[in-house]
């Protein structure tokens, strides 16, 4: 026991979590009050507040020095700088070899303890001496070349078994996992959730990772296996795509463990393995790409070990604890691109990540192509014009196929098994990349030309959406479904001209049937937010569809009224340029776009340009619509507002008074438009 109990906070980088668990365990075992984020902080807690509170309570901060620890992008920088600034006690222990140049200058003078390259007992002694202070040896030192045996101990600060010294155990005795991805980036919170879930009970704990194709499920499982390898005796990776081969894969593991009987057959040996695992601990079985949960009835190991499943199928939710994976957080995308392409600027990285929808597979493909000799601008241009062809190239290591091939494989299976779901997927490809409300489909189910809906099928579109989720082609919830933007682009590229026209017709039917409400009313803005994303995705084809042009003008008004000026400027500028060239400068919809473009320009302080835009629009509306048309009067008021903004108050007043008089005469004293401009 230490002479004085310390309040210890363990500061570490995410990839070093196994070391943090080990250190925290042994410090608690000898009586110190230890706070470790993954043991003591709840999901949903404010990370910054919890960190600050922990730092204030701590009398000692144990910092696990590693190359990851000094990564400028990590919160560990905030932790150690806070300790230094407050002149509090920091206890550095190094868990991998570091040179003086690896450590910030301000910390180089602090005495450190090296834990790496020690056996477990020596590492425990070094850790406790670092925190408690030096003591003389009480027993003869262990032989340095032989790691001390690890004995089971009751749970202390964390649930489950006593953590092993990460460097002491090395790789498990039984191990068939392929090499680690050297470019794995981000996903720290997710890996922490996986670890916490697997440590959550004494019996076999099963975690399933599911999500869209290309989301990085396999890469996360691979990183987990390598990061926590030292905590297991057996780690066995099984490609579970072919469920009928699971018994064979189990037999192979049984043979490695020395419990198989070659003459007994695969089924007998698989059962022998499952019975054996039920009595053992410290094993991890990874079932990669396991599709249908029904195929694994009775084949999921039980006992005090861990099972990690990856799948596109959300059906595992009903059977085991599951995590639904999304695309990269934008910060992870930027970190990945910056690490792989050191010369890329933040703006360039952000633009590319946006184009690729933060999909890990697509990011890896892009890096592979760009770093092989293609300019970033050329790549982004091709991504817009030739998505399917571009996504068929640059398949990165660790992924079974490029994105285009993966989409083709999944959609071919879908078309063969569920043709109605395939039809719905291809229609959804022509909507926007944001969630699509299923209520929109229900409203037009009898008016679609690309999908034949049985009028007696009360479960449509749910029956067609479920296969999309199972094949990893869409995210589906109780109100919406969402197809990744690159999957949409690949499907559009694969569509013939006739199918494209029919899909565009159905999308126009959907978007003109939906009525989000009054764009001036805040209560309607959430509906407009969902609607506008899909409408804006069709802005290039709206020129030939008057009903969509009118909806886009209303969407522009919603964006302005809801304070989204930059988004409004981008949309209206594109509409005005397109409609001016195709419809002509005097077309009513062109003038509508000019009207709102003048509005949004003034929001950015370009009052002179706004005045010129309003004057031109006013002159054209007077000529084509007449002096007293409501749109003409709206432009007259806009011109008066721009004059006022430029300090020409007298001229502005004359125009406002004239406009007000015309409204009174045409609409009456109490009309809302008269009152709005009084």
């Amino acid at each position: 026991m230490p002479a004085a109990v310390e309040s210890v906070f363990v500061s570490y980088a995410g990839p070093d979590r196994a070391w943090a668990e080990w250190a925290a365990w042994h410090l608690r075992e000898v009586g110190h009050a230890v706070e470790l984020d993954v043991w003591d902080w709840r999901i949903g807690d404010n990370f910054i507040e919890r960190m600050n509170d922990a730092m204030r309570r701590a009398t000692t901060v144990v910092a696990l020095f590693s190359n990851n620890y000094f990564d400028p992008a990590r919160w560990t920088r905030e932790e150690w700088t806070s300790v230094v600034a407050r002149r509090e006690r920091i206890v550095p222990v190094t868990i991998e070899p570091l040179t003086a140049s690896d450590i910030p200058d301000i910390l180089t003078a602090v005495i450190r303890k090296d834990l790496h390259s020690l056996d477990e007992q020596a590492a425990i002694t070094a850790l406790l001496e670092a925190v408690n202070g030096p003591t003389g040896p009480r027993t003869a030192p262990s032989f340095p070349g032989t790691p001390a045996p690890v004995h089971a101990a009751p749970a202390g600060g964390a649930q489950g078994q006593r953590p092993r010294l990460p460097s002491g155990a090395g790789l498990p005795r039984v191990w068939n996992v392929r090499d680690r991805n050297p470019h794995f980036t981000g996903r720290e919170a997710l890996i922490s959730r996986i670890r916490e879930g697997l440590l959550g009970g004494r019996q076999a704990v099963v975690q399933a990772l599911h999500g869209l194709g290309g989301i990085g499920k396999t890469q996360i499982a691979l990183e987990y296996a390598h990061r926590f390898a030292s905590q297991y005796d057996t780690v066995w990776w099984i490609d579970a795509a072919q469920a009928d081969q699971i018994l064979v894969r189990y037999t192979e593991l049984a043979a490695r463990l020395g419990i198989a009987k070659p003459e007994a057959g695969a089924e007998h040996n698989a059962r022998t393995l499952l019975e054996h695992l039920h009595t053992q601990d410290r094993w991890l079985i990874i079932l990669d790409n396991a599709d249908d949960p029904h195929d694994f009835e009775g084949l999921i190991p039980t006992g005090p070990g861990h099972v990690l499943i990856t799948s596109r199928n959300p059906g595992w939710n009903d059977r085991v604890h599951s995590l639904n994976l999304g695309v990269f957080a934008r910060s992870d995308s930027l970190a990945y691109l910056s690490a792989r392409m050191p010369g890329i600027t933040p703006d360039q990285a952000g633009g590319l990540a946006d184009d690729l929808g933060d999909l890990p597979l697509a990011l890896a493909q892009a890096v592979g192509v760009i770093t092989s000799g293609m300019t970033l601008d050329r790549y982004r241009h091709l991504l817009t014009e030739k998505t399917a062809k571009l996504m068929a190239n640059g398949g990165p290591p660790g992924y079974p196929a490029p994105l285009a091939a993966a989409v083709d494989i999944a959609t071919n299976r879908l078309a063969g098994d569920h043709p109605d779901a395939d039809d719905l997927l291809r229609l959804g490809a022509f909507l926007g990349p944001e969630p699509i409300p299923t209520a929109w489909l229900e409203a037009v189910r009898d008016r679609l030309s690309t999908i034949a809906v049985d009028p007696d099928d009360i479960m449509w579109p749910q029956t067609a959406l479920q296969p999309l989720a199972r094949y990893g082609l869409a995210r589906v919830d109780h109100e919406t479904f969402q197809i990744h933007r690159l999957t949409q682009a690949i499907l559009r590229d694969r569509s013939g001209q006739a199918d494209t026209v029919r899909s565009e017709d159905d999308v126009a039917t959907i978007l003109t049937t939906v009525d989000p409400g009054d764009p001036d009313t805040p209560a309607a803005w959430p509906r407009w937010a969902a609607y506008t994303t899909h409408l804006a995705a069709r802005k290039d084809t709206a020129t030939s569809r008057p009903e969509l042009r009118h909806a886009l003008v209303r969407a522009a008004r919603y964006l302005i009224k809801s304070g989204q000026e930059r988004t409004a400027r981008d949309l209206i500028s594109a509409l005005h340029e397109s409609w001016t060239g195709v419809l002509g400068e005097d077309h009513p919809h062109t003038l509508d776009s000019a009207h709102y473009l003048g509005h949004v320009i003034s929001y950015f302080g370009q009052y002179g340009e706004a005045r010129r835009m309003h004057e031109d629009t006013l002159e054209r509306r007077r000529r084509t619509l007449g002096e007293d048309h409501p749109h003409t009067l709206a432009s007259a008021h806009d011109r008066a507002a721009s004059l006022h903004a430029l300090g020409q108050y007298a001229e502005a007043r004359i125009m406002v008074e004239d406009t007000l008089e015309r409204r009174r005469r045409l609409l009456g004293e109490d009309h809302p438009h008269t009152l709005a401009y009084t």
Side-chain angles (χ1 to χ4, degrees):
M1 297 295 292
V5 173
E6 299 280 359
S7 178
V8 180
F9 176 72
V10 180
S11 174
Y12 69 101
D16 302 325
R17 174 172 171 168
W19 274 102
E21 291 178 347
W22 177 87
W25 179 290
H26 287 288
L27 290 171
R28 283 190 180 181
E29 285 285 283
V30 299
H32 291 300
V34 181
E35 184 160 359
L36 183 65
D37 56 356
V38 293
W39 287 354
D40 302 309
W41 300 353
R42 295 181 178 180
I43 298 296
D45 284 354
N46 184 302
F47 176 83
I48 297 175
E49 290 181 0
R50 291 303 304 263
M51 183 180 73
N52 288 336
D53 290 345
M55 301 294 277
R56 281 195 294 268
R57 287 192 297 269
T59 57
T60 298
V61 174
V62 173
L64 304 184
F65 280 13
S66 67
N67 285 304
N68 286 316
Y69 190 81
F70 295 114
D71 184 338
R74 294 189 181 276
W75 280 103
T76 47
R77 181 180 181 85
E78 306 296 327
E79 294 172 3
W80 67 258
T81 52
S82 174
V83 175
V84 172
R86 296 176 182 176
R87 298 183 181 278
E88 295 169 346
R89 187 181 181 218
I90 184 170
V91 175
V93 292
T94 58
I95 57 176
E96 66 183 26
L98 297 173
T99 66
S101 61
D102 296 326
I103 301 173
D105 292 342
I106 197 171
L107 295 176
T108 55
V110 182
I111 298 175
R112 304 183 295 277
K113 275 285 187 182
D114 290 336
L115 301 188
H116 59 84
S117 303
L118 300 177
D119 66 37
E120 183 160 24
Q121 189 54 54
I124 294 171
T125 301
L127 173 67
L128 298 183
E129 184 178 276
V131 175
N132 300 339
T135 60
R138 294 187 176 89
T139 61
S142 300
F143 175 56
T146 304
V150 177
H151 302 286
Q159 296 178 344
Q161 297 168 322
R162 165 182 173 176
R164 284 175 168 164
L165 177 73
S167 66
L171 288 179
R173 294 191 298 271
V174 178
W175 169 268
N176 74 332
V177 181
R178 67 173 182 265
D179 291 344
R180 195 173 197 168
N181 179 357
H183 305 298
F184 185 87
T185 302
R187 303 290 201 183
E188 295 298 338
L190 181 61
I191 290 179
S192 289
R193 290 182 65 188
I194 295 170
R195 181 64 175 165
E196 290 155 18
L198 291 175
L199 293 176
R202 293 183 177 276
Q203 296 303 310
V205 179
V206 184
Q207 286 272 326
L209 309 177
H210 67 85
L212 301 176
I215 213 77
K217 303 177 290 293
T218 297
Q219 296 301 311
I220 293 168
L222 183 65
E223 176 64 17
Y224 177 87
H226 279 275
R227 188 174 294 187
F228 295 99
S230 62
Q231 303 306 301
Y232 298 99
D233 294 325
T234 298
V235 177
W236 198 251
W237 187 287
I238 296 175
D239 182 353
Q242 295 180 308
D244 57 354
Q245 294 297 304
I246 295 301
L247 297 180
V248 176
R249 303 286 86 83
Y250 279 169
T251 297
E252 292 171 350
L253 174 55
R256 286 287 298 273
L257 293 172
I259 59 173
K261 295 181 178 180
E263 70 283 358
E267 184 172 354
H268 173 84
N269 284 317
R271 296 300 170 192
T272 299
L273 171 71
L274 294 176
E275 292 171 4
H276 175 78
L277 293 178
H278 188 74
T279 65
Q280 304 298 310
D281 57 18
R282 296 192 185 279
W283 51 261
L284 170 66
I285 305 297
I286 299 172
L287 300 175
D288 185 39
N289 202 21
D291 182 18
D292 190 345
H294 294 94
D295 293 336
F296 296 86
E297 293 283 0
L299 294 176
I300 303 297
T302 61
H306 299 160
V307 180
L308 186 57
I309 298 169
T310 74
S311 178
R312 293 188 176 198
N313 191 350
W316 285 98
N317 274 335
D318 299 331
R319 298 169 180 268
V320 301
H321 180 66
S322 298
L323 296 174
N324 187 4
L325 272 61
V327 297
F328 265 162
R330 180 53 55 88
S331 58
D332 287 345
S333 295
L334 298 181
Y336 177 80
L337 292 173
S338 298
R340 299 295 312 279
M341 297 189 293
I344 196 171
T345 68
D347 287 344
Q348 288 174 325
L352 181 58
D354 197 52
D355 293 343
L356 298 171
D358 297 294
L359 188 68
L361 170 55
L363 290 165
Q365 282 188 236
V367 167
V369 173
I370 294 170
T371 56
S372 297
M374 182 179 290
T375 65
L376 179 59
D377 289 343
R378 170 71 172 163
Y379 187 90
R380 294 186 66 185
H381 174 74
L382 289 175
L383 192 60
T384 302
E385 301 293 330
K386 305 287 184 182
T387 308
K389 287 185 177 180
L390 190 61
M391 287 291 105
N393 291 279
Y399 289 90
L403 180 62
V407 170
D408 288 343
I409 292 168
T411 53
N412 288 337
R413 289 181 58 203
L414 182 72
D417 297 340
H418 306 279
D420 56 334
D422 184 62
D423 291 339
L424 180 55
L425 175 71
R426 294 179 187 280
L427 174 59
F430 287 85
L431 283 158
E434 301 303 320
I436 304 167
T438 53
W440 293 2
L441 299 175
E442 294 167 356
V444 298
R445 56 180 289 159
D446 58 344
R447 297 163 56 193
L448 299 173
S449 64
T450 57
I451 304 175
V453 182
D454 182 352
D456 295 326
D457 184 1
I458 63 171
M459 296 303 293
W460 191 89
Q462 287 77 12
T463 51
L465 290 172
Q466 291 170 1
L468 301 188
R470 175 179 171 181
Y471 286 73
L473 290 164
R475 294 171 65 97
V476 179
D477 62 25
H478 65 291
E479 291 186 340
T480 66
F481 69 105
Q482 183 177 14
I483 308 169
H484 192 273
R485 66 175 68 242
L486 292 180
T487 300
Q488 289 179 309
I490 291 168
L491 291 171
R492 291 196 299 268
D493 283 357
R494 298 281 197 254
S495 297
Q497 181 62 32
D499 290 337
T500 296
V501 171
R502 293 172 63 221
S503 295
E504 293 281 10
D505 288 341
D506 278 353
V507 167
T509 298
I510 293 171
L511 293 177
T512 53
T513 301
V514 174
D515 182 10
D518 184 355
D520 291 358
T521 304
W525 289 350
R527 295 190 297 275
W528 271 104
Y531 181 64
T532 300
T533 59
H534 296 283
L535 189 61
R538 306 268 47 86
K539 66 180 184 295
D540 294 334
T541 59
T543 303
S544 61
R545 299 177 182 274
E547 68 275 25
L548 292 185
R549 295 200 300 267
H550 176 68
L552 281 163
V553 169
R554 296 184 73 211
R557 183 175 182 87
Y558 146 71
L559 290 171
I560 293 173
K561 290 292 184 179
S562 62
Q564 302 178 65
E565 292 87 4
R566 293 187 183 278
T567 305
R569 181 183 61 185
D570 294 343
L571 174 62
I572 300 166
S573 297
L575 296 179
H576 185 255
E577 180 179 358
S578 174
W579 294 353
T580 298
V582 177
L583 304 176
E585 293 183 322
D586 290 339
H587 191 281
H589 284 145
T590 304
L591 293 175
D592 288 343
S593 67
H595 170 80
Y596 287 116
L597 183 56
H599 269 268
V600 78
I601 286 174
S602 67
Y603 279 112
F604 291 93
Q606 299 172 305
Y607 301 120
E609 179 62 26
R611 174 186 172 179
R612 287 188 292 273
M613 180 69 70
H614 289 316
E615 287 177 345
D616 181 72
T617 305
L618 174 59
E619 177 57 31
R620 293 179 185 280
R621 279 180 163 171
R622 280 174 173 167
R623 176 162 41 81
T624 58
L625 301 176
E627 291 275 357
D628 292 336
H629 191 280
H631 289 179
T632 304
L633 294 177
S635 289
H637 183 273
D638 290 342
R639 180 177 183 273
S642 63
L643 290 171
H644 184 273
L646 291 168
Q648 300 175 31
Y649 304 122
E651 188 176 355
R653 176 173 180 172
I654 293 171
M655 179 155 280
V656 168
E657 289 176 343
D658 177 71
T659 304
L660 177 60
E661 179 56 33
R662 291 175 186 275
R663 290 186 186 277
R664 283 172 172 163
R665 174 166 47 81
L666 293 168
L667 304 175
E669 292 278 356
D670 296 332
H671 191 280
H673 288 178
T674 304
L675 297 173
Y677 294 99
T678 299

